[in-house]
Every structure is written in C-alpha cells, then in structure tokens.
Amino acid sequence: MRIGVLAAQGAFVEHIARLCRLEVEALAVRLPHELASLDGLIIPGGESTAISKLMLDYNLTGEIRNLAKNGLPILGTCAGMIILANATPDLEVEPLGLMNIMVRRNAFGRQIDSFETELSIPVLGKKPFTGIFIRAPIIEQATSEVEILAKLADGTSVAARQGKLLACAFHPELTDDLRFHQYFIGIVTGN
Ligand code: GLN
C-alpha cells in the first residue's frame, strides 16, 4: 500500500511520520506524476489558500479531482478539509469540491484559535480521541450522503466521511494516537 501526502505546504512531515509508524509506504507528493499508483492521498493542515494556489500552479487540482471521482480515498485534515469541501464561502480559491459539506474557516476566532479537547469518535472505539484544533474550521452543513463522525460538546460537527473521502477539522497527525490514520487505512483497504 502506498499513500501520498500532498507536500505543497503545511504539516505533511507529521503525516508521513504517522504513516511510517503504521508501516505504510508514504510518499511526499508535489508533482502530478507522483499521484500515479497511489492507493490513497492525505491533504494536510496548513493554510488552505496557499495550498489551493500551489495545487493549481502545479496542475494537481484537476488530477486529484479526477482520481477522487474514480475512487481514490482521500483524507483532508484541517486546511485539507477546507480543500475537500464543496462550499467554503470565505475561500478565495476554488476548493476541490469533492465532499458535500459547507465549511467555515477559522471558526473559533482569533483569541481562542488553538485548543485541545477529548472527542468521542464512535468509529474509533470507546476511548476518546484528543482533538488538536489550530485555527480550525468547522462543518456548518452536510447533505445526507455525509456521515458525521465527531461533534464537539456543543454539537458542532468536526469530522465526516463521504464514501472514501474522510475529513476532520483537527490534527490527528500531532497526537501519538494512530487510530484516525488507521481508520483511513481501513477505508483504503476497503473496510
Ligand atoms: N486556518 C487555516 C485555513 O483557513 C487552517 C488551519 C490549519 O490547517 N491548522 O486554511
């Protein structure tokens, strides 16, 4: 199994490290030909405007869209979730538009722009998962094809799955808990 991690900008090194700990072959993706023969792709957190612009400049946007439409599993974390969404009202660059979610950027404001909280994510089992939120977005709306996987205590949706597409507002690559990446690998292997 070979998982690519988009390495345009942001926290790609940490995702690669988590995949290596899970003994999965991980490849930093910067150019379109590096998307060939991947079994899955991770779009990391970072700055969604910068990542989207670099994806366009390096001709990755159209190719990733096509691969996803042909069934390539993709995990988008934080900025990666913004890029997977089909509606982000305050993003100047067009997102990939692959998941039927409407996402709001920087939803927790500037004063409280980072926090950690224990999340209940039933698909990962009973043990709570530490959600690390850094200038994080939220999922404001989702259609019925989308399964919401995690919510904050106030009911705000922060993780979702639609078929082979998985998105979260937090940073699973910054914890030692590998269960979110394992769940994505399960999607890649067909679970
Ligand atoms: N605030 C960033 C954005 O809007 C996302 C932050 C992150 O990925 N940690 O792109």
Side-chain angles (χ1 to χ4, degrees):
M1 184 195 311
R2 199 173 200 221
I3 309 258
V5 181
L6 186 71
Q9 187 265 340
F12 53 89
V13 172
E14 292 82 356
H15 276 292
I16 290 172
R18 295 300 171 274
L19 292 171
C20 291
R21 275 175 55 190
L22 289 165
E23 297 179 2
V24 170
E25 189 186 343
L27 180 83
V29 171
R30 293 186 179 85
L31 297 169
H33 73 85
E34 292 163 337
L35 291 165
S37 74
L38 291 181
D39 299 300
L41 177 70
I42 297 179
I43 305 179
E47 174 52 47
S48 51
T49 312
I51 296 174
S52 305
K53 282 185 180 153
L54 288 163
M55 283 168 64
L56 283 169
D57 288 351
Y58 286 86
N59 296 317
L60 291 162
T61 309
E63 187 58 21
I64 293 174
R65 248 190 221 127
N66 285 339
L67 289 167
K69 287 187 176 149
N70 287 318
L72 181 74
I74 304 181
L75 163 62
T77 60
C78 201
M81 175 171 96
I82 296 169
I83 292 166
L84 281 177
N86 68 2
T88 312
D90 53 356
L91 184 70
E92 319 139 35
V93 190
E94 194 190 318
L96 282 170
L98 293 168
M99 285 183 80
N100 293 336
I101 53 176
M102 194 208 268
V103 166
R104 180 152 53 94
R105 297 175 67 197
N106 303 325
F108 300 96
R110 281 175 183 236
Q111 340 53 322
I112 335 167
D113 46 22
S114 298
F115 63 96
E116 272 185 39
T117 189
E118 295 302 301
L119 294 168
S120 157
I121 309 183
V123 293
L124 302 186
K126 284 209 177 112
K127 192 176 148 221
F129 189 89
T130 305
I132 300 177
F133 292 80
I134 304 171
R135 300 202 71 208
I138 58 167
I139 300 167
E140 284 198 310
Q141 281 177 33
T143 64
S144 57
E145 297 102 306
V146 177
E147 183 190 355
I148 299 298
L149 302 180
K151 288 182 177 177
L152 297 177
D154 68 0
T156 303
S157 300
V158 290
R161 175 177 178 176
Q162 182 180 341
K164 293 184 179 177
L165 304 174
L166 181 63
C168 62
F170 47 90
H171 284 263
E173 79 287 4
L174 299 182
T175 69
D176 277 333
D177 191 335
L178 297 171
R179 285 178 297 156
F180 206 84
H181 287 82
Q182 268 164 335
Y183 180 67
F184 178 58
I185 288 161
I187 294 176
V188 172
T189 56
N191 295 320

